[in-house]
Amino acid sequence: MGYPQRGIFSEGTVRPCSSGGKESAGGSRKKSRPGHPDVATSLNNLASLYKAQDKYAQAEPLFKRALAIFEKSLGPDHPDVANCLTNLALLYRATQRGKDAAEFEQRAAAISTTEL
């Protein structure tokens, strides 16, 4: 028996925020420079929300931007890079782009094995 779901993903639907969630990508009180990992995390989160809403065209460039920031700021073998690669792979699977998905899955798996 699982726990009851709460929050934005409850009951299989995503409830929109009053501002559409866009404040998470740049309107927080604490300002980070554009290449900071916190910005990448916000972009990744917003892209995940768009993916959950089946807004794949909006999600993809955000995932890619987040990935570029993570790779540059944290290095190519960081767990956050692997997470973002996995998110892109899931997006590509959802949009029937298996070849692209496989590439990102392999990269994420390579990072995950180096962590152990």
Side-chain angles (χ1 to χ4, degrees):
M1 183 170 175
Y3 295 99
Q5 293 184 5
R6 288 187 257 187
I8 63 169
F9 295 107
S10 63
E11 299 176 18
T13 61
V14 178
R15 294 177 302 196
C17 298
S18 60
S19 64
K22 293 180 182 171
E23 71 278 355
S24 67
S28 67
R29 291 178 190 211
K30 180 177 79 173
K31 297 291 182 183
S32 297
R33 47 183 210 283
H36 193 276
D38 288 346
V39 174
T41 298
S42 293
L43 290 168
N44 189 57
N45 290 343
L46 182 57
S48 295
L49 176 63
Y50 284 146
K51 182 185 168 292
Q53 295 173 333
D54 297 332
K55 295 178 180 179
Y56 303 122
Q58 291 173 285
E60 184 177 3
L62 297 178
F63 278 136
K64 287 182 173 181
R65 240 174 88 201
L67 178 61
I69 294 169
F70 280 138
E71 287 177 323
K72 186 174 181 179
S73 62
L74 302 175
D77 297 325
H78 193 275
D80 288 345
V81 172
N83 180 53
C84 200
L85 289 166
T86 299
N87 288 340
L88 267 166
L90 291 169
L91 176 106
Y92 290 146
R93 290 272 176 219
T95 56
Q96 309 302 313
R97 294 163 59 187
K99 185 177 178 184
D100 293 326
E103 176 189 336
F104 287 98
E105 289 164 347
Q106 288 172 356
R107 287 181 59 196
I111 294 168
S112 296
T113 56
T114 59
E115 287 178 46
L116 302 174

